[in-house]
Amino acid sequence: MTIRTVPTQPYSDQKPGTSGLRKKVPVFQQPNYLENFVQSIFDSIAAPTGATLVLGGDGRYYNRQAIQIILKMAAANGYGKVLVGRGGILSTPAASCVIRKYQTYGGIILSASHNPGGPTEDFGIKYNSSNGGPATETVTEAIYAQSKTIAEYRICDAADVGLDELGSFTLEGMQVEVIDPVSDYAELMESLFDFAAIRALLAGGFRIQFDAMHAVNGPYARDILEGRLGAAAGSVMNAIPLEDFGGGHPDPNLTYAHDLVEIMYGDDAPDFGAASDGDGDRNMILGHHFFVTPSDSLALLAANATLAPGYKQGLAGIARSMPTSAAADRVAAALNIPCYETPTGWKFFGNLMDAGRVTLCGEESFGTGSSHVREKDGLWAVLFWLNILAVRKQSVEAIVREHWAQYGRNFYSRYDYEALPTEAANGVMAYLRASFAALTGTAFGKYTVQMCDDFSYTDPVDASVSRAQGIRIIFTDGSRIIFRLSGTGTEGATLRVYLEAYESDSSRHHLDAQQALAELIAIALQVSELRVRTGREQPTVIT
Ligand code: VG1
Ligand code: CO
């Protein structure tokens, strides 16, 4: 076999962010850029000879080319077998499922998630470990360190592998098995949820609309919702994964999933609507003319978990990322189970799930999941909701309102200021850090600052410490303002401002979140000097 060792120069910018390495496609297309990063992964994880990997992506532009390069590099680096999704497709949760089911050494997922795709848009790559979850910070730091000193990579000269037919091929001694990307995942879903009850719900005239946003979940949703569960044909829209996601922004929120939002708020709206993102791990849940915030969704799934067969024994615990609202904490307290607060990013949940400390996890950024895999899982959340709706036989809105009446409502919103000059964004954060002492104890209208800090997390399982994970301003009544810089953007800096206020008075639960949070928003702008420091009057997106 013709294995070549190719000399290379390191790149200095291959530091993985919140979820892997994400850059514009032309950056990945620079000579040896992808190869350097893949070799840095292989060097850092040091798999035994003959190990098996899983490989697939969300189908965006450059997915297929990257898969051919990675297959040839895996063969040259001594891997014995690679399981690759047909067409190079594997949603992020499906990749996690396949890694776990076949107990592979790990997997490589190609995705930039909710970021747009295309020749000048985003591409991404990340490594998941044998538990199916994103590599821990220790591993991503090792990969980054390796990328800074890399001098050569290994690749074999071979023809491209056909990815469009199921079957087994040999690539210079390594086996390449092209697998159905959907079936293992769909079987796992059937094992967790009451498909018969959901089928009966749908047969009884309950109408659903799922927007796959031209992204990876189309084939999964078609197979499961229309195929196995009998939803009416056309219940899944934008179901064919496209390299550029149809020119859209595959991010399931009220701004970017506008096609779906129009349907769900239109005349004759269906009973239930949902969307997922580029790589299928995020979800947005809508009822008839009604939006469920991701933080409320997590709390509600937790409160109703035992209605689904896979969770009928109850939950070990719940974990949420720090900026996610504390709605889930109230449910955990009522259930008398632990609730963990982690930094942003799914990689922090893995240790807790592996140790059996938590069953459900969630983030405010439209991410919910459980220990069935080690990634957040968009379609799983949709099926969980459908299972609950099938049992409770109430509308989405009625279920959410009952939840608020019982636990109180955590009003919540996030303001994103995208593509800011990096210095201006860093300036806001530095200014806030310098203000901690002055802010503490200060009253702003009805709010008084109880404490401020830069969130630091000590993993209770391996005692690793992650610092500077977001600035928290916490008020005496538990309301919070959080400032954090995104770790997934590819243009300048994205500053996120997270706002949360708790309301126990049910006569105020009907308020619009922006109305209920208006005072906190004004305080956030004031204490950060955001407008003068960034020159931005309005956020790019409000969720
Ligand atoms: C964002 C979200 C975070 C999520 C991450 C990956 O990160 O805020 O909650 O885990 O994206 O999601 P950041 O650093 O930009 O805030 V996905 O769907 O890209 O895998
Ligand atoms: Co995603």
Side-chain angles (χ1 to χ4, degrees):
M1 107 163 116
T2 44
I3 291 178
R4 286 188 296 132
T5 300
V6 183
T8 187
Q9 303 284 323
Y11 286 92
S12 60
D13 64 345
Q14 298 197 321
K15 185 176 169 58
T18 312
S19 182
L21 182 68
R22 291 188 189 169
K23 301 283 175 195
K24 297 283 178 207
V25 168
V27 173
F28 270 103
Q29 288 170 328
Q30 296 174 90
N32 299 342
Y33 193 90
L34 175 69
E35 290 85 344
N36 277 13
F37 191 72
V38 172
Q39 189 65 51
S40 300
I41 295 176
F42 289 158
D43 291 345
S44 310
I45 63 174
T49 305
T52 301
L53 280 181
V54 171
L55 177 62
D58 61 14
R60 68 179 57 227
Y61 187 86
Y62 203 54
N63 194 56
R64 281 177 176 264
Q65 294 92 319
I67 284 183
Q68 297 295 348
I69 292 170
I70 296 167
L71 286 174
K72 290 169 197 173
M73 289 185 66
N77 277 274
Y79 285 88
K81 184 174 178 178
V82 177
L83 302 173
V84 48
R86 186 181 46 224
I89 292 286
L90 274 175
S91 76
T92 292
S96 185
C97 160
V98 173
I99 293 170
R100 293 171 67 78
K101 180 168 177 179
Y102 299 103
Q103 298 179 0
T104 71
Y105 191 78
I108 291 178
I109 302 178
L110 305 174
S111 168
S113 187
H114 52 290
N115 293 359
T120 57
E121 298 295 349
D122 288 7
F123 187 75
I125 173 168
K126 69 171 176 172
Y127 176 70
N128 279 32
S129 311
S130 59
N131 71 346
T136 60
E137 275 201 327
T138 315
V139 176
T140 57
E141 285 298 328
I143 295 170
Y144 177 45
Q146 186 66 20
S147 77
K148 287 191 288 191
T149 58
I150 188 167
E152 57 187 39
Y153 66 85
R154 284 184 292 288
I155 192 161
C156 67
D157 287 322
D160 283 359
V161 177
L163 296 174
D164 294 310
E165 300 297 331
L166 300 183
S168 217
F169 308 89
T170 305
L171 182 71
E172 300 290 340
M174 182 183 82
Q175 196 190 341
V176 178
E177 196 177 329
V178 178
I179 60 167
D180 179 338
V182 176
S183 56
D184 293 312
Y185 176 83
E187 274 169 30
L188 178 59
M189 293 302 113
E190 280 202 83
S191 76
L192 296 173
F193 300 113
D194 188 344
F195 271 39
I198 301 173
R199 217 176 282 125
L201 175 77
L202 296 173
F206 186 92
R207 287 162 53 218
I208 67 172
Q209 188 71 52
F210 181 90
D211 188 352
M213 303 192 81
H214 303 292
V216 77
N217 254 353
Y220 295 84
R222 275 252 167 94
D223 177 296
I224 296 172
L225 298 175
E226 294 184 9
R228 298 173 197 240
L229 291 168
S235 297
V236 180
M237 62 200 260
N238 302 324
I240 312 234
L242 299 176
E243 285 198 330
D244 67 349
F245 307 115
H249 208 123
D251 198 354
N253 59 41
L254 293 175
T255 304
Y256 293 126
H258 41 79
D259 292 358
L260 175 72
V261 171
E262 257 172 47
I263 294 171
M264 294 307 299
Y265 283 84
D267 298 338
D268 194 31
D271 304 290
F272 178 82
S276 57
D277 71 332
D279 60 330
D281 58 358
R282 297 185 176 204
N283 74 91
M284 174 170 70
I285 302 293
L286 298 169
H288 182 99
H289 294 217
F290 192 79
F291 166 66
V292 186
T293 71
S295 295
D296 280 348
S297 180
L298 171 66
L300 210 134
L301 294 183
N304 293 276
T306 52
L307 301 181
Y311 303 89
K312 66 171 186 293
Q313 316 82 334
L315 307 174
I318 306 172
R320 62 162 175 86
S321 63
M322 180 274 285
T324 304
S325 97
D329 303 36
R330 297 180 180 278
V331 176
L335 295 173
N336 200 20
I337 55 173
C339 187
Y340 297 86
E341 186 176 39
T342 60
T344 293
W346 214 260
K347 59 177 171 260
F348 295 100
F349 294 136
N351 278 349
L352 296 172
M353 291 193 273
D354 287 352
R357 293 185 184 225
V358 302
T359 311
L360 290 195
C361 303
E363 295 191 277
E364 47 66 41
S365 53
F366 297 82
T368 359
S370 89
S371 50
H372 68 289
V373 290
R374 292 292 181 276
E375 289 279 4
K376 55 188 185 272
D377 189 343
L379 208 42
W380 167 91
V382 170
L383 294 167
F384 211 147
W385 263 95
L386 288 173
N387 195 144
I388 291 168
L389 289 160
V391 175
R392 290 189 52 171
K393 300 187 169 48
Q394 291 168 285
S395 70
V396 171
E397 178 169 353
I399 290 175
V400 174
R401 290 197 185 282
E402 270 185 27
H403 186 91
W404 292 339
Q406 185 176 350
Y407 295 96
R409 177 171 180 190
N410 291 68
F411 283 105
Y412 191 83
S413 188
R414 183 177 104 182
Y415 282 38
D416 292 337
Y417 297 82
E418 294 176 0
L420 294 175
T422 306
E423 272 173 29
N426 287 338
V428 171
M429 298 298 278
Y431 175 68
L432 281 164
R433 279 190 198 101
S435 312
F436 285 173
L439 282 173
T440 309
T442 306
F444 297 89
K446 67 173 179 177
Y447 295 103
T448 302
V449 178
Q450 184 175 47
M451 63 158 281
C452 319
D453 71 355
D454 205 341
F455 182 61
S456 174
Y457 177 67
T458 303
D459 186 301
V461 179
D462 66 14
S464 59
V465 179
S466 303
R467 295 193 171 82
Q469 297 294 323
I471 290 171
R472 307 191 287 180
I473 302 177
I474 303 181
F475 298 89
T476 48
D477 71 345
S479 298
R480 301 188 301 164
I481 302 173
I482 289 143
F483 294 85
R484 206 188 134 257
L485 294 178
S486 154
T488 58
T490 57
E491 237 179 289
T494 293
L495 179 63
R496 306 202 194 282
V497 185
Y498 310 80
L499 306 137
E500 174 179 12
Y502 178 68
E503 179 61 74
S504 57
D505 177 359
S506 58
S507 74
R508 293 174 56 82
H509 287 168
H510 66 281
L511 287 181
D512 172 67
Q514 298 306 320
Q515 219 182 324
L517 294 167
E519 208 176 326
L520 274 185
I521 293 162
I523 297 170
L525 292 174
Q526 184 189 334
V527 301
S528 63
E529 298 188 347
L530 190 151
R531 284 185 169 150
V532 280
R533 288 177 180 275
T534 66
R536 285 287 175 84
E537 282 301 306
Q538 297 300 331
T540 323
V541 185
I542 297 179
T543 48

